[in-house]
Amino acid sequence: MIKPASRTKSIELSLIRKMFEVTNPDAINLGIGEPDFDVPENIKQAMKESIDENDSHYTPNKGIVELREEISKKFKKDNDINVNPDNIIVTVGASEGLFMCAQAFLEKGDEILLPDPSFLSYEACIKLAGGTIVPVDCTMENEFKLKAEDVESKITNQTKAIMLNSPSNPTGAVMEKEDVKAIADLSMDKDFLIISDEIYEKIIYDKKHYSPAKYSDNVITLNGFSKTYAMTGLRIGYLAGNEDNIENLLKIHQYNVACASTTAQRGAYEALSGPQHEVKKMVNEFKRRRDLIVRRLNEMGYETVNAEGAFYVFPKIEDEDFVMKAAKAGVITVPGIAFGSNGKEHVRMSYANSYENIKKAMDILERVANG
């Protein structure tokens, strides 16, 4: 057997994916972080036309100019950020953007502040780059929101970066404006990088999203089309930063994938430039489901924060065997410990499933809860 690189020993395969492998394929899936909607028709049409026109060749490494210009307009309109199209890279999903950031800026000895709990890919990318994780508690008492004072208490001379994700996977928490701004100020005062994953930016209820790049130059903003436009399998995202950061990120991107899919880029252009009514319909439906799942879980006695964004809830469930009991009964969930130590005695549930299936799932979980 060929000996693998030592860096692979520090990470494990996704616990989320493992859950799918040990459960009944007919079970109701509250584990996957993927919208259950189809790609809007106008986006499909744009991609079909791209293929029919033989638009299947390499694009510039950074991505199609017209798409980067549209992303630049989006940053100005939605986030009040001025970004030159030259300082935008179109990526193979936001996941590639995250990997690029870790490879371009982190090395052995660097400390990276990481909200606990947080999406498990963050930890893996940091470890693969040799960085050291410094967890920052996001407690249920604070509705799982990252607080600036908790971040400040963890900063040392070795702090290289912080990972932000609002709205959050796995909790659905949305950061408050004052915390976003205060952490942005700290990044300038203490000279560390903010990697801001804003992939759930549009899936937000009764709150407003704030981007740290509005308040700091030390920010790389990650975003994409997977969640907002249900384009998960098309693997198309983007990142933006200042000129120096983009040059170094481009080195990783160029020698990794060269460029994102031409067809997916054409679809992404239509997604941003075309009508947005399908996005609004999807978000309204997610809110309806959120209200259902939070109410039912609280009625069962599982304390659940009223998540303000994304499509996850993170109820407190002290039964260590709950996830397996639920799976055997026909509902897939994910143990909260997969997302960090503060996920202990919690379970992540996604409501990216039909309203009817969520009702059925809650009926099953109620029976599990009652033994």
Side-chain angles (χ1 to χ4, degrees):
M1 178 179 174
I2 303 299
K3 184 179 179 181
S6 59
R7 71 178 71 90
T8 64
K9 296 179 182 178
S10 65
I11 61 170
E12 296 181 4
L13 293 174
S14 167
L15 187 56
I16 299 174
R17 297 293 171 181
K18 285 182 180 179
M19 283 303 303
F20 302 156
E21 294 171 4
V22 299
T23 51
N24 185 336
D26 296 324
I28 298 173
N29 192 341
L30 302 185
I32 193 74
E34 176 178 40
D36 59 313
F37 300 90
D38 293 326
V39 175
E41 287 299 324
N42 62 308
I43 299 174
K44 290 182 187 177
Q45 190 59 39
M47 292 190 290
K48 289 176 184 176
E49 291 174 1
S50 171
I51 293 170
D52 289 341
E53 294 168 4
N54 295 312
D55 188 13
S56 55
H57 302 281
Y58 289 129
T59 74
N61 292 131
K62 290 182 180 179
I64 297 168
V65 173
E66 294 87 349
L67 173 56
R68 287 186 281 123
E69 288 174 344
E70 206 62 36
I71 294 169
S72 178
K73 292 176 188 175
K74 179 261 172 219
F75 273 121
K76 180 61 180 174
K77 177 176 174 287
D78 294 347
N79 309 108
D80 196 21
I81 301 169
N82 291 312
V83 182
N84 188 304
D86 286 340
N87 291 344
I88 293 168
I89 300 175
V90 180
T91 61
V92 182
S95 296
E96 193 222 344
L98 172 63
F99 187 79
M100 288 163 59
C101 289
Q103 292 298 311
F105 294 103
L106 307 183
E107 52 195 351
K108 191 172 183 179
D110 288 340
E111 293 181 354
I112 296 83
L113 307 186
L114 186 65
D116 181 359
S118 62
F119 182 43
L120 46 81
S121 285
Y122 303 151
E123 179 179 354
C125 285
I126 292 166
K127 286 183 175 180
L128 283 171
T132 299
I133 293 169
V134 177
V136 184
D137 290 338
C138 298
T139 63
M140 195 171 195
E141 289 71 25
N142 285 331
E143 299 182 320
F144 301 112
K145 296 180 182 184
L146 185 66
K147 308 303 290 183
E149 58 266 28
D150 294 329
V151 170
E152 187 170 15
S153 70
K154 298 284 187 172
I155 297 172
T156 71
N157 291 334
Q158 282 72 49
T159 301
K160 183 67 170 288
I162 184 171
M163 188 75 223
L164 300 186
N165 177 217
S166 178
S168 162
N169 177 4
T171 66
V174 176
M175 289 181 65
E176 302 294 341
K177 178 182 179 180
E178 56 265 30
D179 291 307
V180 173
K181 187 176 186 307
I183 293 170
D185 290 341
L186 283 169
S187 76
M188 297 294 283
D189 294 342
K190 303 292 186 178
D191 196 28
F192 61 83
L193 182 67
I194 296 176
I195 303 169
S196 183
D197 180 355
E198 303 180 16
I199 193 71
Y200 296 99
E201 169 194 21
K202 295 294 185 181
I203 306 174
I204 195 166
Y205 324 109
D206 307 318
K207 294 284 286 188
K208 182 171 169 50
H209 171 77
Y210 295 95
S211 293
K214 180 179 178 180
Y215 311 107
S216 170
D217 292 331
N218 289 350
V219 180
I220 298 169
T221 305
L222 308 180
N223 211 322
F225 300 85
S226 292
K227 314 300 183 180
T228 303
Y229 300 98
M231 295 171 67
T232 51
L234 291 162
R235 310 311 304 132
I236 187 76
Y238 56 92
L239 57 74
N242 65 40
E243 186 174 352
D244 291 337
N245 287 344
I246 288 297
E247 182 178 350
N248 288 297
L249 288 161
L250 186 60
K251 294 174 185 176
I252 306 300
H253 176 71
Q254 188 178 74
Y255 294 113
N256 182 24
V257 299
C259 67
S261 157
T262 306
T263 302
Q265 289 192 59
R266 293 298 181 189
Y269 174 82
E270 174 61 25
L272 289 180
S273 61
Q276 303 297 306
H277 59 271
E278 291 295 327
V279 175
K280 293 176 183 177
K281 283 171 57 179
M282 181 176 71
V283 173
N284 287 338
E285 175 60 17
F286 277 141
K287 185 176 186 294
R288 190 170 79 103
R289 298 173 186 179
R290 187 277 310 263
D291 293 344
L292 169 66
I293 197 170
V294 169
R295 175 176 60 79
R296 289 294 305 273
L297 288 167
N298 280 325
E299 287 173 354
M300 291 177 215
Y302 298 135
E303 184 182 357
T304 306
V305 172
N306 194 35
E308 295 172 331
F311 37 69
Y312 309 102
V313 289
F314 207 58
K316 185 174 179 63
I317 301 177
E318 297 178 1
D319 182 356
E320 293 181 359
D321 298 322
F322 175 88
V323 170
M324 291 310 299
K325 288 177 183 176
K328 289 178 181 177
V331 179
I332 301 174
T333 60
V334 181
I337 195 66
F339 304 96
S341 60
N342 282 328
K344 187 179 181 182
E345 298 185 346
H346 289 271
V347 174
R348 192 190 79 169
M349 299 182 193
S350 165
Y351 46 94
N353 207 317
S354 72
Y355 192 90
E356 292 70 24
N357 277 345
I358 293 170
K359 285 178 68 176
K360 293 176 184 175
M362 292 301 103
D363 290 341
I364 293 170
L365 294 185
E366 189 167 21
R367 292 196 291 272
V368 171
N370 293 331

